[in-house]
Amino acid sequence: MTETPPPDSLTDILTSLRDRVMGISESVLSTVDGLLVHADVDTVHPESVAALAAATLGVGRRMADTAGVGALREVVARCGSGHVIVVAVGDRALLTVKGDAGLDLAAFQRESPAAVERLSRVLAADVAH
């Protein structure tokens, strides 16, 4: 007998975000100290992305603190052929998204808060059990 995943599994949340935002190709969920939690990837090395996301968050938080602009929400890197976005998921996790050059940033900013909230709930429930 095969087990069906819970309706709010990490895979479902990441897949749903990819389906709702044009241009998202891969995503990695990690801890703030760079350990891989879950990945929806084809080409990137998820453990490396997790470690680099932690470093990115650290630098971004330091910049936000130094500039006095409030708590860091996300870091967006616009690159030659796409984007990499690191989003804080509560205090203990990070969501890193790889997007192509056509990534719809407005849709990402509209859709990501709900995905982050769902990820936070799943991670909190996992820790509670």
Side-chain angles (χ1 to χ4, degrees), residues 110-124:
R110 184 178 58 250
E111 298 291 338
S112 63
V116 165
E117 177 59 32
R118 290 174 63 201
L119 289 167
S120 294
R121 281 197 313 265
V122 170
L123 293 172

Side-chain angles (χ1 to χ4, degrees), residues 1 10 15 17 20 31 60 65 72-73 93-94 100 109 123 128:
M1 184 164 128
L10 296 175
T15 300
L17 183 62
R20 288 180 288 128
T31 65
D65 288 344
L72 179 72
R73 293 186 302 194
L94 303 171
D100 61 27
Q109 291 175 337
L123 293 172

Side-chain angles (χ1 to χ4, degrees), residues 3-94:
E3 225 177 270
T4 58
D8 242 3
S9 73
L10 296 175
T11 300
D12 291 341
I13 297 167
L14 296 180
T15 300
S16 175
L17 183 62
R18 183 174 20 117
D19 291 345
R20 288 180 288 128
V21 179
M22 183 180 71
I24 291 179
S25 57
E26 302 180 66
S27 55
V28 174
L29 183 65
S30 60
T31 65
V32 292
D33 40 351
L35 300 175
L36 179 64
V37 174
H38 191 77
D40 176 21
V41 299
D42 291 323
T43 62
V44 301
H45 186 259
E47 288 85 0
S48 296
V49 171
L52 290 167
T56 300
L57 178 75
V59 171
R61 280 187 172 161
R62 182 74 186 260
M63 177 60 81
D65 288 344
T66 300
V69 293
L72 179 72
R73 293 186 302 194
E74 68 185 29
V75 176
V76 178
R78 294 181 189 204
C79 308
S81 62
H83 301 77
V84 178
I85 305 171
V86 179
V87 181
V89 179
D91 293 333
R92 300 179 1 176
L94 303 171

